[in-house]
Coordinates of all heavy atoms in Angstrom, one line a residue:
A1 N 1.0 2.5 -4.0 CA -0.2 2.6 -4.8 C -0.5 1.3 -5.7 O 0.5 0.7 -6.1 CB -0.2 3.8 -5.7
G2 N -1.7 1.0 -5.9 CA -2.1 -0.1 -6.8 C -3.5 0.1 -7.3 O -4.1 1.1 -7.1
D3 N -4.0 -1.0 -7.8 CA -5.3 -1.0 -8.4 C -6.2 -1.9 -7.6 O -6.9 -1.5 -6.6 CB -5.3 -1.4 -9.9 CG -6.7 -1.2 -10.5 OD1 -7.6 -0.6 -9.9 OD2 -6.8 -1.6 -11.7
S4 N -6.1 -3.2 -7.9 CA -6.9 -4.2 -7.2 C -6.6 -4.3 -5.7 O -7.4 -4.7 -4.9 CB -6.8 -5.6 -7.8 OG -5.5 -6.0 -7.8
S5 N -5.3 -3.9 -5.4 CA -4.9 -4.0 -4.0 C -5.2 -2.8 -3.1 O -4.9 -2.8 -1.9 CB -3.3 -4.3 -3.9 OG -2.6 -3.3 -4.5
A6 N -5.7 -1.8 -3.7 CA -6.0 -0.5 -3.0 C -6.9 -0.8 -1.8 O -7.9 -1.5 -1.9 CB -6.6 0.5 -4.0
G7 N -6.5 -0.1 -0.7 CA -7.3 -0.3 0.5 C -6.7 -1.3 1.5 O -7.1 -1.3 2.7
S8 N -5.9 -2.2 1.0 CA -5.3 -3.2 1.9 C -4.0 -2.6 2.5 O -3.4 -1.7 1.9 CB -5.0 -4.5 1.2 OG -4.2 -4.3 0.0
R9 N -3.5 -3.2 3.6 CA -2.3 -2.8 4.1 C -1.1 -3.6 3.5 O -1.3 -4.7 2.9 CB -2.3 -3.1 5.6 CG -3.4 -2.4 6.4 CD -3.4 -2.9 7.9 NE -3.6 -4.3 7.9 CZ -3.3 -5.1 9.0 NH1 -2.9 -4.5 10.1 NH2 -3.6 -6.4 8.9
L10 N 0.1 -3.0 3.6 CA 1.2 -3.7 3.0 C 1.4 -5.1 3.7 O 1.7 -6.1 3.0 CB 2.5 -2.9 3.2 CG 2.7 -1.7 2.3 CD1 4.0 -1.0 2.6 CD2 2.6 -2.1 0.8
V11 N 1.1 -5.2 4.9 CA 1.3 -6.5 5.6 C 0.3 -7.5 5.1 O 0.6 -8.7 5.2 CB 1.2 -6.3 7.1 CG1 -0.2 -6.1 7.6 CG2 1.8 -7.6 7.9
D12 N -0.8 -7.1 4.6 CA -1.8 -8.0 4.0 C -1.3 -8.7 2.7 O -1.6 -9.8 2.4 CB -3.1 -7.3 3.8 CG -3.8 -6.8 5.0 OD1 -3.6 -7.4 6.1 OD2 -4.4 -5.7 4.9
R13 N -0.5 -7.9 2.0 CA 0.0 -8.4 0.7 C 1.4 -9.0 0.9 O 1.7 -9.9 0.1 CB 0.1 -7.2 -0.3 CG -1.2 -6.5 -0.5 CD -2.2 -7.3 -1.3 NE -1.8 -7.7 -2.6 CZ -2.6 -8.2 -3.5 NH1 -3.9 -8.5 -3.2 NH2 -2.2 -8.5 -4.7
F14 N 2.1 -8.5 1.8 CA 3.5 -9.0 2.1 C 3.7 -9.2 3.6 O 4.1 -8.3 4.3 CB 4.5 -7.9 1.6 CG 4.4 -7.5 0.1 CD1 3.7 -6.4 -0.2 CD2 4.9 -8.3 -0.9 CE1 3.5 -6.0 -1.5 CE2 4.7 -8.0 -2.2 CZ 4.0 -6.8 -2.5
P15 N 3.3 -10.4 4.1 CA 3.3 -10.6 5.5 C 4.7 -10.4 6.2 O 4.8 -10.2 7.4 CB 2.9 -12.1 5.6 CG 2.0 -12.3 4.4 CD 2.7 -11.5 3.3
G16 N 5.8 -10.5 5.4 CA 7.1 -10.4 6.0 C 7.7 -9.0 5.9 O 8.8 -8.8 6.2
V17 N 6.8 -8.0 5.6 CA 7.3 -6.6 5.4 C 7.8 -6.1 6.8 O 7.2 -6.5 7.9 CB 6.2 -5.7 4.9 CG1 5.1 -5.5 5.9 CG2 6.8 -4.4 4.4
P18 N 8.8 -5.3 6.9 CA 9.3 -4.7 8.2 C 8.1 -4.1 8.9 O 7.2 -3.5 8.3 CB 10.3 -3.7 7.8 CG 10.9 -4.2 6.5 CD 9.7 -4.8 5.8
V19 N 8.2 -4.2 10.2 CA 7.1 -3.7 11.1 C 6.8 -2.2 10.8 O 5.6 -1.8 10.9 CB 7.5 -3.9 12.6 CG1 6.4 -3.3 13.5 CG2 7.6 -5.4 12.9
R20 N 7.8 -1.4 10.6 CA 7.5 0.0 10.4 C 6.7 0.3 9.2 O 6.1 1.4 9.1 CB 8.9 0.8 10.3 CG 9.7 0.5 9.1 CD 11.0 1.3 9.0 NE 11.7 1.2 7.8 CZ 12.4 0.1 7.4 NH1 12.5 -0.9 8.3 NH2 13.0 0.1 6.2
L21 N 6.6 -0.6 8.2 CA 5.9 -0.4 7.0 C 4.6 -1.2 7.0 O 3.7 -1.0 6.1 CB 6.7 -0.8 5.8 CG 8.0 0.0 5.5 CD1 8.7 -0.6 4.4 CD2 7.6 1.5 5.2
A22 N 4.4 -2.1 8.0 CA 3.3 -3.1 7.9 C 1.9 -2.4 7.8 O 1.1 -2.9 7.1 CB 3.4 -4.0 9.2
G23 N 1.7 -1.4 8.5 CA 0.4 -0.8 8.6 C 0.1 0.2 7.4 O -1.0 0.7 7.3
Q24 N 1.1 0.5 6.6 CA 0.9 1.4 5.5 C -0.2 0.9 4.5 O -0.1 -0.2 4.1 CB 2.2 1.7 4.8 CG 2.1 2.8 3.8 CD 3.5 3.3 3.3 OE1 4.5 3.1 4.1 NE2 3.6 3.8 2.1
V25 N -1.1 1.8 4.2 CA -2.2 1.4 3.3 C -1.9 1.7 1.9 O -1.4 2.7 1.5 CB -3.5 2.2 3.7 CG1 -4.7 1.8 2.8 CG2 -3.9 1.8 5.2
I26 N -2.2 0.7 1.0 CA -2.0 0.8 -0.4 C -3.1 1.7 -0.9 O -4.3 1.4 -0.7 CB -2.0 -0.5 -1.1 CG1 -0.9 -1.4 -0.6 CG2 -1.9 -0.4 -2.6 CD1 -0.9 -2.8 -1.1
E27 N -2.8 2.8 -1.6 CA -3.7 3.8 -2.1 C -4.1 3.5 -3.6 O -3.3 2.8 -4.3 CB -3.2 5.2 -2.0 CG -2.8 5.6 -0.5 CD -2.3 7.0 -0.4 OE1 -2.8 7.8 -1.2 OE2 -1.4 7.2 0.4
K28 N -5.3 4.0 -4.0 CA -5.6 3.9 -5.4 C -4.7 4.8 -6.2 O -4.5 5.9 -5.9 CB -7.1 4.3 -5.6 CG -7.7 4.1 -6.9 CD -7.9 2.6 -7.2 CE -8.7 2.4 -8.5 NZ -8.9 0.9 -8.8
W29 N -4.2 4.3 -7.3 CA -3.2 5.0 -8.1 C -3.9 6.2 -8.7 O -4.8 6.0 -9.5 CB -2.5 4.1 -9.1 CG -1.8 4.7 -10.2 CD1 -1.9 4.4 -11.5 CD2 -0.7 5.7 -10.1 NE1 -1.1 5.2 -12.3 CE2 -0.3 6.0 -11.5 CE3 -0.1 6.4 -9.1 CZ2 0.7 6.9 -11.8 CZ3 0.9 7.3 -9.4 CH2 1.3 7.5 -10.7
D30 N -3.4 7.4 -8.4 CA -3.9 8.6 -8.9 C -2.8 9.6 -8.9 O -2.4 10.1 -7.8 CB -5.1 9.1 -8.2 CG -5.7 10.4 -8.7 OD1 -5.1 10.9 -9.7 OD2 -6.7 10.9 -8.2
P31 N -2.2 10.0 -10.0 CA -1.1 11.0 -10.0 C -1.4 12.3 -9.3 O -0.5 12.9 -8.8 CB -0.7 11.1 -11.5 CG -1.3 9.9 -12.2 CD -2.5 9.5 -11.4
A32 N -2.7 12.7 -9.4 CA -3.1 14.0 -8.8 C -3.1 13.9 -7.3 O -3.2 14.9 -6.6 CB -4.4 14.4 -9.4
A33 N -3.2 12.7 -6.7 CA -3.4 12.6 -5.3 C -2.1 12.1 -4.6 O -2.2 11.8 -3.4 CB -4.5 11.6 -5.0
M34 N -1.0 12.1 -5.2 CA 0.3 11.6 -4.6 C 0.7 12.7 -3.6 O 0.6 13.9 -3.8 CB 1.4 11.5 -5.7 CG 1.2 10.3 -6.6 SD 2.7 10.0 -7.5 CE 3.2 11.7 -8.0
P35 N 1.4 12.2 -2.5 CA 2.1 13.1 -1.6 C 3.3 13.7 -2.3 O 3.7 13.3 -3.4 CB 2.4 12.3 -0.4 CG 2.6 10.9 -1.0 CD 1.6 10.8 -2.1

């Protein structure tokens, strides 16, 4: 989760992230919406 980075994928912010995490989307920080 983040603020200004919400909506982007982890790989967009961290190009070297492991492949299994690359497509994970950064969500808008909201404690009520956490899994």
